[in-house]
Amino acid sequence: MSLTRRCAASVALAALPLALASAAAGAAPPQRYGLDPVHTRVMFAVSHAGFSQALGTVSGARGSLLFDRDDWRSAKLEVSVPLTRLDLGDAKWNAATLAAHLLDGKRHPLARFVSETVEPLPGEGENPSDRARVCGALSLRGVTRPLCMDVQLNGYKRHPLPPFRHTAGFSASARLSRAEFGIDAWKSVIGDEVELRIEAEAVRNRYLDTGPSDDSEPIADDALPPSPSDETPDPSTRAATPDPEPRR
């Protein structure tokens, strides 16, 4: 090897550690975000005796997200949802849904999801993927089962309103069997498959100092209906059902 080539090789070897260090410095770690409880909401839909899909929402979710748009696989999500803030649009139905034979909101006021794997889905052309399959463990009513969600990144930028914090916005969907979580009452009235839709906004370095909590009104014992058999009438129609006509 000539002297010129040996000098070039030496320079290249000497520069290698600097190049590796520069690359490592350029690979920024995932940023930490907190879920905005006002702009994060879970919607659920479940069959009502085959006539319609009963729709409800739960607000006030809290949690943390580690996220780097260029590295979905490094993302980690932990979220708690206060079930006692459930709203089906009717106070009696809310109470019935939170009763011991269904969600048992008095003993299990929170649902919790912790991600385990995040797999990006293919993007279009040369554009990076804004979709991913997020799988993890859902704890509901004292039972933990696997759950996967299809997630769409809607926006990843500074918010246009003060204080202009960097915000990531997502839409997600999933399906679960309520029976797998021990929620199997009223089989003739309530379907087993529950469809979930989640809209979430996560703000960088905000909403991280408040842990998951249920800040709604406590559930009084006399506010919940008794455990039913499978033949128990639909609670929304019980009061409206007329007495049978007297025999003539």
Side-chain angles (χ1 to χ4, degrees), residues 53-200:
Q53 292 289 308
L55 301 177
T57 62
V58 187
S59 60
R62 298 183 183 274
S64 63
L65 170 69
L66 286 175
F67 185 65
D68 176 1
R69 184 178 186 175
D70 296 325
D71 184 14
W72 278 82
R73 289 183 175 88
S74 67
K76 294 185 182 300
L77 171 66
E78 294 187 15
V79 58
S80 292
V81 180
L83 298 178
T84 49
R85 296 191 62 170
L86 170 150
D87 183 15
L88 281 155
D90 179 83
K92 291 183 179 179
W93 258 110
N94 293 348
T97 305
L98 291 168
H101 46 272
L102 289 176
L103 289 178
D104 197 2
K106 187 175 180 64
R107 292 197 303 162
H108 304 287
L110 293 172
R112 187 167 185 262
F113 178 80
V114 179
S115 67
E116 296 173 348
T117 63
V118 179
E119 190 66 30
L121 299 176
E124 297 182 359
E126 297 181 355
N127 296 324
S129 175
D130 282 338
R131 300 180 301 123
R133 182 82 164 167
V134 179
C135 295
L138 173 65
S139 298
L140 177 64
R141 200 178 181 269
V143 178
T144 300
R145 293 284 185 269
L147 179 74
C148 288
M149 300 185 295
D150 292 323
V151 178
Q152 170 74 47
L153 175 64
N154 300 319
Y156 187 65
K157 58 186 178 181
R158 291 182 66 187
H159 200 284
L161 296 177
F164 309 110
R165 294 181 182 271
H166 197 279
T167 301
F170 301 89
S171 297
S173 60
R175 294 178 184 271
L176 61 85
S177 162
R178 68 184 182 98
E180 289 185 355
F181 293 88
I183 310 170
D184 55 4
W186 286 331
K187 294 179 182 178
S188 61
V189 178
I190 305 174
D192 178 61
E193 184 178 78
V194 181
E195 180 183 356
L196 300 176
R197 176 179 170 180
I198 301 101
E199 295 294 327

Side-chain angles (χ1 to χ4, degrees), residues 188-223:
S188 61
V189 178
I190 305 174
D192 178 61
E193 184 178 78
V194 181
E195 180 183 356
L196 300 176
R197 176 179 170 180
I198 301 101
E199 295 294 327
E201 292 186 18
V203 184
R204 184 183 295 172
N205 296 325
R206 197 175 182 194
Y207 304 113
L208 294 167
D209 55 346
T210 303
S213 63
D214 171 29
D215 55 3
S216 58
E217 292 293 326
I219 303 173
D221 289 330
D222 58 0

